[in-house]
Amino acid sequence: MPFALLIEALGIAPNASENGYAIDSMLEMLHWFMLVLFVGWGSFYAYTLWRFQAKKNPRANYVGTTSHLPTKLEGGVLVLEVILLLSFAAPIWANRVGQFPTGPDVIHLRAVGQQFQWNFQYTGPDGKFGARNPDLVSTSNQLGLDRNDPDAFDDLVATGEMHLPVGKPCIVDVMSKDVIHDFCIPNMRVAQDAIPGSDIPLWFMPIKTGTYEIVCAQLCGTNHAYMKGTLVVDTEADYKKWFDETAKLSGAKVVEGRPVAPEIPPASRLVENR
Ligand SMILES: [Cu+2]
């Protein structure tokens, strides 16, 4: 990426997502633009200090400058800022919040914050989240997942570590069990507040295998700084292996090593759910 020269030199976490390049380019552009403004206004300030010093100008001038250059420069800065906002920032924002990936390849999971850890719930093969019940919350069932709900039979729950296959988009529903947290993965260029009572989705697509840090980016209590999680981006095969093993460990129904969706015809499910 030709743009990300300055911010990488300044130590930003290396981008590992497809969507991150657009954000990096904009950050980079903003940094260069601010540098130009800093040098421009700084030089102007130094010039005025020298030009209008009291020694050279013992009598005050009540007319001031008659040049229109400063107004034109201000206008130029305004135009540039409007271009940055409308041509870069707004489309990137629209893409982040309005164009969610769809299709069978999309991994869908929940990230549920609590003081002071991240819990994860994956839908499993049926693509549906199992019901959660606050009465079932315990140290061994942090999310209160109701395994009696047919949608929960094949769900995976995990604490502290989530995995994703490389090159596939994912949607993470960000939630909280207690106070406001913020689900942030710097390398994926995503961050979203986890607000109690809300279910706010974000999406990204990892493009490099590896292990990345998940942090909480809202001051949420005494151990906020230790509220970390891990994202492991695997190859497709490694991801499947992790998923099957972890689903089984977390209590999913497993047949021949794989979590299975319940075999209930959709029509009777509808009646049952009434
Ligand atoms: Cu937190």
Side-chain angles (χ1 to χ4, degrees):
M1 195 69 200
F3 270 126
L5 303 168
L6 184 66
I7 51 166
E8 269 184 20
L10 291 173
I12 196 169
N15 173 48
S17 73
E18 189 202 36
N19 45 285
Y21 287 128
I23 294 166
D24 281 7
S25 306
M26 198 184 67
L27 273 179
E28 182 81 17
M29 254 187 291
L30 279 176
H31 275 75
W32 285 113
F33 183 48
M34 288 304 131
L35 190 67
V36 170
L37 281 187
F38 173 74
V39 171
W41 293 135
S43 318
F44 179 70
Y45 176 62
Y47 167 75
T48 50
L49 284 181
W50 168 80
R51 171 70 180 77
F52 301 108
Q53 57 183 297
K55 218 191 290 174
K56 275 183 156 185
N57 307 275
R59 271 175 59 84
N61 178 345
Y62 296 101
V63 178
T65 179
T66 49
S67 164
H68 291 294
L69 187 64
T71 318
K72 283 178 186 159
L73 281 176
E74 284 280 15
V77 169
L78 186 71
V79 167
L80 258 176
E81 279 173 358
V82 168
I83 290 173
L84 273 175
L85 198 63
L86 296 184
S87 312
F88 296 95
I92 291 173
W93 178 243
N95 172 259
R96 300 307 307 147
V97 299
Q99 294 166 27
F100 274 75
T102 52
D105 271 355
V106 180
I107 311 286
H108 201 176
L109 68 145
R110 284 172 170 163
V112 185
Q114 75 179 72
Q115 289 172 318
F116 296 93
Q117 65 189 35
W118 290 106
N119 304 293
F120 302 103
Q121 177 184 3
Y122 288 69
T123 59
D126 68 351
K128 291 177 189 156
F129 288 115
R132 290 168 55 206
N133 179 351
D135 294 337
L136 298 175
V137 171
S138 67
T139 43
S140 58
N141 186 4
Q142 294 283 4
L143 291 176
L145 184 66
D146 181 2
R147 286 287 183 192
N148 290 321
D149 174 22
D151 291 343
F153 287 2
D154 59 349
D155 283 16
L156 176 157
V157 284
T159 291
E161 188 170 304
M162 63 178 267
H163 284 233
L164 289 171
V166 69
K168 297 232 166 123
C170 76
I171 298 175
V172 185
D173 291 352
V174 181
M175 307 160 125
S176 169
K177 273 169 69 179
D178 40 40
V179 301
I180 298 174
H181 301 276
D182 187 296
F183 181 75
C184 174
I185 314 175
N187 296 86
M188 299 296 152
R189 303 291 189 263
V190 289
Q192 171 60 55
D193 272 6
I195 299 167
S198 294
D199 173 356
I200 309 172
L202 65 80
W203 71 274
F204 61 93
M205 183 161 112
I207 51 168
K208 285 180 199 158
T209 54
T211 302
Y212 306 99
E213 199 171 53
I214 301 168
V215 295
C216 176
Q218 283 285 12
L219 191 55
C220 61
T222 47
N223 284 338
H224 158 70
Y226 303 101
M227 186 170 163
K228 287 184 189 174
T230 305
L231 161 64
V232 181
V233 178
D234 287 322
T235 60
E236 182 81 35
D238 284 349
Y239 170 74
K240 282 213 168 91
K241 194 163 161 254
W242 171 84
F243 193 96
D244 293 348
E245 281 170 6
T246 313
K248 189 180 171 189
L249 275 176
S250 71
K253 290 212 164 90
V254 171
V255 174
E256 289 170 2
R258 306 222 59 197
V260 284
E263 284 177 21
I264 300 174
S268 61
R269 289 274 293 283
L270 275 176
V271 175
E272 230 171 64
N273 287 345
R274 257 176 214 156

